[in-house]
Amino acid sequence: NIYMNNTTTAPAKARYQLVEYNEASAEVKAVYDEAMQALQLPFVLNWFKCQGQNAILLRGNWAKLKSTLIEGEVPNVLKQLIIYNVSNLRGCDYCAKAHGIFADSMSKIISSDENYRATDLESSLLPNSYKTAIRLVTKAALYSEELTDEDFQDLKQEGFTDAEVQELMAQADLVNMLNTIATVSGIKLDNELAEAEF
C-alpha cells in the first residue's frame, strides 16, 4: 500500500508559516490570548502559530482542544498522559514532548514523591484507573475497530462514569487531530516549553 509507510521522517523545516503574535490578525490574536490564558502559558505554542494563517480552522481546532482536553470531569493530568502515550507510539515528536512536559508539571497531583514523573507510565505510583484509561484510549486512538464491550466495562469497573468514559474516548479523536497537525506542519518543540520550569 503506497499510503502506509511505517517510517516517519520529519521535514527539514516547517511546512506552514508560523504566525507570531504581533503579526497575527485580530481574530487569530483573540484565539492566541484565550489559549495562553487557558493553558497558563506566557507564550503562544507553535501548534497554534502554525495555524495562524487560517483563523476559521484555528478557532475550530482550539474549540475542540479546549472542550476536550481542558474542560470536563476527567483529571487533566490523565488526559495529558493519554496524549503523551499515543503521540509516542505514533511517532509525533512535537506532541509527545509537549504533552510529556505538561504531564510531568502535574506530577505532584498524583504523588508527593520528589522524584516521581507522571510520564513514568510503569510506576506503581500511577493509579490503576489511570493505567487502564491510558491503555484503552490508546487502543481507541490507534485501533478503534478493536475496542470491545469488555474494554468499556473495564473503565466502568475502574469507577469512570458514562460521561467520563465518553470524555476519555474523545481524547482518542483529539490526539489524532493534534498529531496530524503537528506532523504535517513540521513544527518543532517550542524553545520556551523546553526551557520552562513548572
Side-chain angles (χ1 to χ4, degrees):
N1 183 336
I2 61 168
Y3 297 110
M4 297 302 287
N5 182 344
N6 289 333
T7 59
T8 54
T9 52
K13 63 185 182 75
R15 293 178 176 135
Y16 297 171
Q17 179 192 334
L18 299 183
V19 179
E20 299 297 335
Y21 186 90
N22 58 0
E23 301 162 354
S25 68
E27 194 179 350
V28 168
K29 272 185 185 163
V31 176
Y32 285 179
D33 286 334
E34 275 182 46
M36 285 190 292
Q37 183 179 4
L39 296 167
Q40 300 178 325
L41 293 174
F43 58 91
V44 181
L45 290 168
N46 287 340
W47 189 85
F48 293 94
K49 288 185 203 170
C50 80
Q51 300 174 72
Q53 290 181 301
N54 192 321
I56 293 169
L57 281 180
L58 175 63
R59 178 153 293 286
N61 290 338
W62 163 237
K64 182 183 182 91
L65 172 62
K66 183 170 68 166
S67 62
T68 310
L69 178 61
I70 298 168
E71 298 170 353
E73 298 303 313
V74 173
N76 188 263
V77 63
L78 173 53
K79 294 177 181 180
Q80 297 287 357
L81 288 171
I82 288 166
I83 294 170
Y84 164 76
N85 192 53
V86 175
S87 300
N88 262 332
L89 292 171
R90 289 188 82 210
C92 180
D93 189 60
Y94 179 87
C95 290
K97 285 181 177 166
H99 291 275
I101 290 167
F102 288 134
D104 280 338
S105 77
M106 297 180 232
S107 296
K108 286 193 177 14
I109 293 170
I110 299 172
S111 171
S112 58
D113 183 327
E114 280 294 307
N115 300 315
Y116 175 68
R117 290 287 163 267
T119 51
D120 178 2
L121 301 181
E122 302 298 316
S123 171
S124 60
L125 297 172
L126 190 66
N128 276 335
S129 61
Y130 279 36
K131 289 179 179 177
T132 299
I134 293 165
R135 178 173 55 83
L136 293 179
V137 179
T138 297
K139 184 177 179 181
L142 300 177
Y143 313 103
S144 56
E145 70 285 356
E146 294 179 17
L147 276 179
T148 65
D149 292 344
E150 288 76 22
D151 292 334
F152 283 84
Q153 204 51 47
D154 287 350
L155 289 169
K156 297 241 180 93
Q157 284 175 342
E158 289 292 356
F160 293 107
T161 65
D162 288 347
E164 287 170 335
V165 169
Q166 281 190 316
E167 201 178 309
L168 284 167
M169 288 300 160
Q171 305 310 308
D173 177 45
L174 177 70
V175 68
N176 287 333
M177 177 190 86
L178 297 174
N179 287 179
T180 300
I181 291 170
T183 301
V184 301
S185 67
I187 54 175
K188 304 286 184 262
L189 187 68
D190 313 72
N191 291 333
E192 302 95 329
L193 201 53
E195 295 160 9
E197 292 188 15
F198 292 97

